[in-house]
Amino acid sequence: MNFSHCHDPGSQTAGFFVSCRIERIDRLCDLDSEKEDNMADDYLGRKMEEYRTRVVTANRRPAATLGRLLLRNRSHRGYDARFLVREDQLRRIIAVNTKIPSARNQQVLRFRPVLADEAHKVLAHIRLGGALPDLHLPLPGTEPNAFVIVCTTVGEDRYVDIDLGISAQSMLLQAAEIGLNGICIGAFDKARIMREFGLELEPLLIIAFGKGIERIELTEIGSGEDHAYYRRDGVHYVPKVRVDDLIIKD
């Protein structure tokens, strides 16, 4: 008897279930494979995100808080001659004057930027380091190469001086924020500066900007102690009256 041609309903049913089971196993394998692929993608994605975070964190500068900017904003009398302040940097510094307070909102100050090609016109008519006359600051090769000449459109009075102080400090803080240093220069030949730059407005102050190269440290003093800055072992020390002595008590 040839059993291969026998009609067996039971065997057909068993074959159907076997086929279904095989199909289900194939689907599960596909799902497992897809899950593994997704896990691999997630792992690579996480690693890439961790890498980006490390790079961003490593390159991120500390937040420019007011406290940090005030400490960074020291009066430098020596600068890196290799670094040239750009026109856009001076413009950004001057631009703070569009956002700061002004006494009576007069806004009488005007600003003449001076870049490296004109710096010699300023350097010949300024004096730095009045408390250290023997050093003849700035030392040769450390002169600043950028300036802002601050002028007024009206006669100088207490309100103009209020604006001048606010403006100078704000510009120096902006310079500190972008990685520059500076110093206010009140000892200059006003008539010669006006002549050198053809100014019709009265110059009140000159502010130098650049990359400072000096090491400057603050020292705490009482209100009755000597306020003069000094240098020792290559460090420039600036005495500052302690806060308790600044506060008026009953």
Side-chain angles (χ1 to χ4, degrees):
M1 176 182 269
N2 189 350
F3 290 96
S4 63
H5 296 289
C6 290
H7 179 66
D8 186 351
S11 65
Q12 287 184 343
T13 302
F16 171 76
F17 282 114
V18 169
S19 176
C20 289
R21 185 173 182 82
I22 292 173
E23 185 178 347
R24 185 182 177 195
I25 292 172
D26 288 342
R27 283 203 304 270
L28 289 173
C29 289
D30 290 340
L31 289 173
D32 287 342
S33 177
E34 183 179 348
K35 184 177 180 180
E36 289 175 357
D37 290 342
N38 289 337
M39 289 176 64
D41 291 342
D42 290 344
Y43 175 80
L44 291 174
R46 285 197 306 272
K47 287 300 180 184
M48 183 59 70
E49 189 61 33
E50 290 173 6
Y51 171 76
R52 292 196 190 100
T53 301
R54 284 198 302 271
V55 170
V56 171
T57 302
N59 294 333
R60 184 180 296 154
R61 291 181 178 179
T65 63
L66 179 58
R68 288 195 179 101
L69 290 177
L70 288 171
L71 287 175
R72 201 182 303 164
N73 178 28
R74 307 267 55 88
S75 296
H76 282 257
R77 294 163 180 83
Y79 296 84
D80 184 351
R82 298 167 299 177
F83 181 87
L84 299 181
V85 178
R86 303 189 309 271
E87 181 179 3
D88 64 290
Q89 291 174 315
L90 280 191
R91 183 178 179 85
R92 182 173 176 183
I93 290 168
I94 293 172
V96 302
N97 290 278
T98 65
K99 304 179 181 72
I100 60 176
S102 171
R104 297 177 174 176
N105 204 33
Q106 294 181 107
Q107 303 175 77
V108 297
L109 300 180
R110 298 296 182 268
F111 309 90
R112 173 57 157 88
V114 178
L115 294 171
D117 60 334
E118 292 184 305
H120 64 281
K121 296 181 181 180
V122 175
L123 291 169
H125 308 301
I126 63 173
R127 287 184 291 110
L128 292 177
L132 301 169
D134 294 339
L135 294 182
H136 304 289
L137 301 174
L139 298 175
T142 68
E143 300 89 347
N145 57 52
F147 305 86
V148 170
I149 304 172
V150 186
C151 303
T152 176
T153 60
V154 300
E156 186 177 4
D157 60 22
R158 64 186 296 243
Y159 297 108
V160 174
D161 288 340
I162 290 171
D163 279 13
L164 182 61
I166 295 171
S167 172
Q169 177 74 331
S170 299
M171 287 193 285
L172 286 166
L173 289 174
Q174 178 63 83
E177 186 185 66
I178 62 177
L180 301 180
N181 307 103
I183 185 172
C184 291
I185 304 169
F188 64 93
D189 190 319
K190 186 177 295 187
R192 291 189 177 180
I193 288 294
M194 292 181 72
R195 210 163 37 241
E196 287 281 8
F197 293 94
L199 297 174
E200 297 181 359
L201 302 178
E202 178 187 2
L204 302 177
L205 185 71
I206 296 176
I207 309 178
F209 294 101
K211 282 280 190 182
I213 57 174
E214 297 177 320
R215 181 182 169 192
I216 303 174
E217 294 188 9
L218 304 182
T219 61
E220 187 178 87
I221 61 169
S223 60
E225 297 180 65
D226 189 0
H227 290 46
Y229 55 80
Y230 58 95
R231 295 194 174 189
R232 182 185 299 152
D233 299 326
V235 180
H236 186 89
Y237 292 95
V238 184
K240 293 294 181 182
V241 176
R242 66 177 64 92
V243 65
D244 286 342
D245 289 2
L246 297 176
I247 298 172
I248 300 173
K249 302 178 178 66
D250 295 335

